[in-house]
Amino acid sequence: MARFYPLAKKLLFSLEPESAHALAAQALKLLGWCPYLVRPYQHPMLENTILGMSMPNPICLAAGFDKDATMLAGLNQLGFGGVEVGTTTPKPQYGNPKPRLFRFPKQESLQNAMGFNNKGVARLVARLERVRPLACMVGVNVGKNKETPLEHALQDYQQALQASLGVGNYYVFNLSSPNTPNLRDLQNNAFVGELFSMARDLTHKPLFLKLAPDLPSDALLKVCASALEHGAHGIIATNTTLDYALLPGAKPFGGISGQVLKTKSREVFKQIAQAFFGKAVLVSVGGIDSAQEAYERIKMGAHFVQIFTSFVYQGPLICRQINQDIVKLLQKDALKSIQDAVGIG
C-alpha cells in the first residue's frame, strides 16, 4: 500500500478537497469489508490501559475525519489506537457554505471552515450500534447546533451526550471549533463547570474537554482547572488555530491545522502538562507528523496523541510507521513500555 499512495495522492489532490475526502471514505469503507488487505501493526510495548480503556497503541485519529462514523472498520484496520468520531450535533446540519476546506501542500497544512457538518447524533448512534467489535477505542466528539443560542448550548451538549452514551468508550466536549459562531465564548469557567457537572450526573464514562490553542495562558489553565474540578477526566489540546500569520496565503476565516501549528500546539500542551500532569489524562494533537514528534509529546505528559492533517498528507500507513518507530525509540531509551515514557521528559 505504501508504494501506491503517491499515485493515489496525485489523484486525490487533483480533486476538490471535500470530493477527495468522499473518495477516501469509500476506500476506507471497502477496506472495512476486506480486513485482510492490511494487517494492523501490533506490539506489546505500545499497549496501555487508560481510564479502564484498553488501547493497542498511542496513535489515534482526531475528530473531524470520520464525522458520521462511516469509516470505522477501515480505520481500525489501519491500526489506530483510537478513532474519535464527530463532531456530532443533536440535529443534522449542512455546515458552512462551500468552499470550506483548503490545502497548503508546501506547508503540509490545512485550513477548514466546515462548521460541524454532520447527519446528526441519531444517525451516528445507529451506525455505531451496527459496527462489529473493534480493537481501537471509539471517542464521540459532541457539539452544539449552529442555530442554537449560546444560552441554550448546555441542552445541546446534554442531548448529544445522552443519545450516544451506549456507543462510545469516551466523550469529548468541543467548545473550541472556530467555525461555529461564538462557540469559543463557551470556553469559560462557569459554562465548563456547568457542562461537566451535567455530564457527571449522566455517566461514569471518561469525559474530555477539547481546547483551542489561542486562549491566553491564564484563561487556558483556569478553564482546565474548572473542567477537572467538576468531573472531567482529561484535556485534549489543541484544536485548530486562528493565528493566520502562521500560514502564508491563509484565508481570513476557518481554523488552521498541520505542520504550521506544531510549535504553537506543543507550547500550549506543555503549559497544560506542567499544571495538570498526574491530575488528569492529557491528550496532545496539532502538527504531529512523525514518531519523534509523537514521542516528544508523550514524554511531555501525553497519555496518547491524535493526528489528522499528517494522515491526509502522508497516507494510510502513517499510523503503522509511527508506531514501529516509537518501539525503536522506546528500545533506544531502554524503556519496557509506552507507559514508562509518559511524562518523563
Side-chain angles (χ1 to χ4, degrees), residues 18 67-68 87 93-95 100 114-119:
E18 286 196 63
K67 292 177 181 289
D68 295 305
T87 297
Q93 61 182 28
Y94 176 79
R100 55 192 182 182
M114 302 300 288
F116 289 171
N117 56 305
N118 75 105
K119 295 183 178 176

Side-chain angles (χ1 to χ4, degrees), residues 26-301:
Q26 293 302 317
L28 285 164
K29 290 176 190 177
L30 178 62
L31 180 60
W33 287 103
C34 305
Y36 298 107
L37 286 177
V38 180
R39 289 284 188 180
Y41 176 73
Q42 297 175 312
H43 197 289
M45 293 179 73
L46 297 172
E47 296 172 0
N48 202 356
T49 299
I50 299 170
L51 298 171
M53 303 179 291
S54 296
M55 285 193 72
N57 66 74
I59 309 303
C60 301
L61 184 63
F65 192 89
D66 191 5
K67 292 177 181 289
D68 295 305
T70 61
M71 313 171 219
L72 265 176
L75 293 167
N76 180 67
Q77 284 303 118
L78 295 180
F80 285 102
V83 175
E84 195 170 302
V85 298
T87 297
T88 189
T89 54
K91 294 183 289 187
Q93 61 182 28
Y94 176 79
N96 294 322
K98 296 181 181 181
R100 55 192 182 182
L101 181 60
F102 309 92
R103 303 186 193 98
F104 294 82
K106 184 178 179 181
Q107 295 87 2
E108 291 199 10
S109 297
L110 297 171
Q111 187 170 12
N112 91 83
M114 302 300 288
F116 289 171
N117 56 305
N118 75 105
K119 295 183 178 176
V121 69
R123 292 280 293 275
L124 179 135
V125 169
R127 288 198 178 96
L128 287 175
E129 287 176 339
R130 293 195 301 267
V131 75
R132 58 183 167 79
L134 303 171
C136 67
M137 296 190 310
V138 177
V140 178
N141 185 298
V142 300
K144 82 169 191 72
N145 281 110
K146 180 178 181 178
E147 70 272 17
T148 302
L150 287 188
E151 58 267 28
H152 299 306
L154 186 67
Q155 290 94 312
D156 267 24
Y157 285 100
Q158 180 173 344
Q159 186 177 341
L161 176 63
Q162 281 183 304
S164 59
L165 276 178
V167 294
N169 297 115
Y170 69 91
Y171 293 84
V172 181
F173 292 119
N174 187 349
L175 310 183
S176 51
S177 169
N179 301 319
T180 296
N182 304 315
L183 183 72
R184 287 188 171 190
D185 292 348
L186 297 177
Q187 295 179 121
N188 65 75
N189 299 353
F191 181 80
V192 166
E194 193 176 4
L195 178 67
F196 281 95
S197 294
M198 172 274 294
R200 292 312 303 145
D201 286 340
L202 294 178
T203 183
H204 294 293
K205 288 188 175 183
L207 300 167
F208 291 80
L209 175 64
K210 186 169 186 176
L211 290 169
D214 305 317
L215 282 171
S217 295
D218 287 350
L220 177 80
L221 298 180
K222 287 178 180 177
V223 167
C224 290
S226 179
L228 297 174
E229 179 186 348
H230 290 90
H233 297 88
I235 305 294
I236 298 178
T238 64
N239 211 320
T240 56
T241 183
L242 291 174
D243 187 354
Y244 300 139
L246 294 174
L247 183 61
K251 309 293 180 184
F253 57 89
I256 296 168
S257 64
Q259 285 195 7
V260 297
L261 180 56
K262 182 184 297 184
T263 299
K264 185 167 193 169
S265 182
R266 187 196 296 136
E267 288 304 309
V268 170
F269 182 77
K270 183 178 180 180
Q271 294 178 49
I272 292 172
Q274 287 174 341
F276 300 108
F277 181 73
K279 303 173 185 177
V281 172
L282 305 179
V283 182
S284 189
V285 55
I288 297 172
D289 56 0
S290 66
Q292 189 62 51
E293 185 65 28
Y295 193 55
E296 286 301 315
R297 307 281 182 105
I298 289 166
K299 291 196 294 183
M300 287 168 61

